[in-house]
Each structure stands twice: as structure tokens, then as C-alpha cells.
């Protein structure tokens, strides 16, 4: 079994590598970009959810009454 010191060293190196990789990946975008993306994603979700709910509660008239083609 590995001793705890080696295991701890590997965990520290892994966490450091993950932090550096994440830092390099997000270095090109700022907090403003992240905020804009979060707001846009939330608005898109709410808009799609509302449209689906509205369609489920009040189906279009041509689905209620068969008007033909």
C-alpha cells in the first residue's frame, strides 16, 4: 500500500495541474463575459420553458379543431 505522504504529494500535484489548466482555459474570458453568458443562457432557458409550458397548456387552434390542409 502506498504511504500517505506519496498519496498526498500526488493529490497536490494533480490539484495544481487542474488549477493551472483551468486558469489557462479561462484566461481569455473575463468576468463580464462569463456574466453575459450566464444571463443569456438563463434567458434562453426561461424563454424555451415558457414556450413549452404555454404550448402544453394552450395548444394551437388547428390541433384542437381539425381545419384540414
Amino acid at each position: 500500500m502506498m504511504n500517505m505522504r506519496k498519496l498526498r504529494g500526488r493529490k497536490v500535484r494533480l490539484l495544481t495541474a487542474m488549477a493551472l489548466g483551468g486558469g489557462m482555459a479561462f484566461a481569455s474570458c473575463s468576468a463580464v463575459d462569463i456574466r453575459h453568458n450566464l444571463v443569456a443562457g438563463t434567458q434562453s432557458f426561461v424563454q424555451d420553458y415558457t414556450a413549452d409550458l404555454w404550448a402544453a397548456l394552450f395548444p394551437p387552434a388547428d390541433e384542437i379543431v381539425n381545419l384540414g390542409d
Side-chain angles (χ1 to χ4, degrees), residues 45-61 63-64:
F45 171 76
V46 170
Q47 183 179 13
D48 292 342
Y49 181 79
T50 304
D52 291 342
L53 180 64
W54 190 261
L57 292 176
F58 303 104
E63 288 184 11
I64 296 172

Side-chain angles (χ1 to χ4, degrees), residues 15-57:
L15 291 174
T16 304
M18 287 174 55
L20 289 175
M24 287 189 300
F26 291 112
S28 63
C29 63
S30 65
V32 174
D33 294 333
I34 294 171
R35 186 185 68 196
H36 285 147
N37 289 336
L38 285 174
V39 169
T42 303
Q43 286 177 338
S44 175
F45 171 76
V46 170
Q47 183 179 13
D48 292 342
Y49 181 79
T50 304
D52 291 342
L53 180 64
W54 190 261
L57 292 176

